[in-house]
Amino acid sequence: MRAARLIKMVLLLQSRPSMTAAELARELEVSERTVTRDAQALSEAGVPVYADRGRIGGYRLVGGYRTRLTGLARGEAEALFLSGVPGALREMGLEDAASAARLKVSAALLPSLRDASRTAAQRFHLDAPNWFHEPDTPELLPAVADAVWDDRRVTARYRRDGGEVERELEPYGLVLKAGVWYLCARVSGRGSFRVYRIDRFTAVEAGAERFERAEDFDLPAFWGERAEQFARSILRAEVVVRLSAEGVRRLPYAVDAGAAREALERAGEPEGGGWVTVTLPVESEEVAHEQLTALGAEVEVLAPPSLRERFVAGAVRLAELYGC
């Protein structure tokens, strides 16, 4: 534990001109007295740590000292590619690895480039969860993430259809979609890949055996294909609507964007006043009513009759409410 702290102290001093005892204590999560003892131990070991006395004093390395302890470990290097997603790193238990990786990179950079991590962080940030949704971190996510990194088979219990099933899985990759974690995995002994919600796992146990990854597996491509299939699979009904020019513009924001684009591409020429009639795939009549209501007077439902009646009834209630 102390050896790792001493190495981190050297890397901190190597990445900055100087640091006060308070700054080092804060970074190393120790007391200032411990910082003083560690600096003395480094000096006795031949590391040229120099202490500037006084109100603005601090610790620094002298003589252009450079440590060779900047090589990235595998886990740190992998975590570094995710360092722009701090929330995801914390949830997977990789925050410490990413922090160590960033520190090593900073120590290895030229002095003129050492503020790169700070300037990048002030310009780009990823906020993955949806608005008005407080994400819950699945309790078993770190265990699943460890298995993904190590290519280890896992025995998992999974809630499905009111019960639980147990599967031996080859965990290939994790996806964070709108604040929800998914595992892309292959059932051992079968060729097909499946998608599992991490929050539906009730137990995960990693075995000692590693599996051999399929070289042609492409996680982004696989996820993109499955996401598109899922979006299409839930669009089981159709409605016919007339849209104003403004309704055409707003339709992709009210319903599934892909379905809206395809429906508009198949639509005929605009009528008088710019109105367009489209046949739109929807999840259900209830969902269509909720989504299309957002378009207000820019949409008129033509079919099915039951959905049109819903809109008529809604319009009557609004008229009564506002005294029209």
Side-chain angles (χ1 to χ4, degrees):
M1 181 68 178
R2 190 191 185 199
R5 189 175 71 242
L6 292 175
I7 292 172
K8 186 174 182 178
M9 184 174 180
V10 173
L11 292 171
L12 285 167
L13 294 174
Q14 185 172 308
S15 65
R16 308 178 193 181
S18 68
M19 295 183 69
T20 66
E23 290 172 335
L24 283 167
R26 186 167 55 253
E27 291 281 355
L28 299 172
E29 299 180 349
V30 296
S31 66
E32 293 186 29
R33 180 168 298 189
T34 299
V35 168
T36 301
R37 289 198 297 265
D38 286 352
Q40 182 177 355
L42 287 171
S43 181
E44 292 173 353
V47 178
V49 177
Y50 181 79
D52 291 314
R53 306 297 179 184
R55 184 172 59 85
I56 58 173
Y59 293 91
R60 60 186 174 88
L61 295 174
V62 298
Y65 180 82
R66 307 287 295 178
T67 176
R68 295 183 179 274
L69 297 173
T70 55
L72 290 176
R74 178 177 177 82
E76 295 167 350
E78 290 169 333
L80 185 61
F81 289 100
L82 295 174
S83 60
V85 195
L89 285 169
R90 283 193 300 273
E91 293 178 9
M92 288 190 292
L94 296 174
E95 187 175 26
D96 290 342
S99 176
R102 288 193 294 269
L103 180 59
K104 289 182 177 183
V105 169
S106 179
L109 292 174
L110 294 172
S112 61
L113 299 176
R114 286 178 186 160
D115 65 342
S117 61
R118 180 184 61 81
T119 56
Q122 295 304 316
R123 287 164 173 79
F124 301 99
H125 175 68
L126 175 63
D127 184 9
N130 277 333
W131 286 103
F132 315 116
H133 174 72
E134 186 66 27
D136 295 323
T137 302
E139 181 180 350
L140 296 174
L141 176 60
V144 176
D146 285 343
V148 170
W149 287 123
D150 291 340
D151 294 338
R152 292 189 182 276
R153 287 190 173 89
V154 298
T155 300
R157 293 192 62 82
Y158 185 80
R159 291 193 300 272
R160 191 181 71 179
D161 300 330
E164 288 189 1
V165 296
E166 184 174 291
R167 295 284 186 270
E168 185 176 276
L169 302 176
E170 297 175 355
Y172 268 68
L174 289 167
V175 174
L176 177 60
K177 170 70 172 177
V180 180
W181 285 96
Y182 297 88
L183 172 68
C184 301
R186 182 163 61 182
V187 179
S188 295
R190 305 182 189 177
S192 61
F193 288 91
R194 302 181 183 181
V195 176
Y196 301 86
R197 279 185 60 143
I198 300 296
D199 58 8
R200 291 181 181 169
F201 284 116
T202 59
V204 173
E205 183 178 352
E209 184 182 0
R210 285 186 168 88
F211 64 91
E212 186 175 346
R213 295 178 67 91
E215 294 184 2
D216 59 350
F217 179 76
D218 184 328
L219 179 60
F222 170 77
W223 177 259
E225 180 181 343
R226 284 303 175 92
E228 183 177 353
Q229 289 176 358
F230 174 76
R232 291 178 180 277
S233 69
I234 64 174
L235 303 179
R236 303 185 182 94
E238 285 187 342
V239 299
V240 181
V241 298
R242 289 178 69 242
L243 297 163
S244 68
E246 177 63 14
V248 168
R249 186 188 70 82
R250 290 165 50 185
L251 184 65
Y253 302 98
V255 301
D256 178 80
R261 285 193 297 268
E262 291 182 7
L264 291 171
E265 289 173 358
R266 294 194 302 267
E269 294 297 320
E271 307 166 9
W275 287 75
V276 177
T277 300
V278 301
T279 300
L280 180 70
V282 295
E283 183 174 346
S284 67
E285 184 174 309
E286 292 77 10
V287 172
H289 179 258
E290 180 181 342
Q291 293 174 331
L292 294 174
T293 297
L295 299 181
E298 309 302 329
V299 61
E300 177 190 2
V301 174
L302 303 179
S306 56
L307 180 58
R308 183 178 177 87
E309 290 170 4
R310 283 175 181 259
F311 276 86
V312 171
V316 170
R317 287 196 300 271
L318 282 175
E320 294 173 348
L321 179 64
Y322 288 99
C324 299

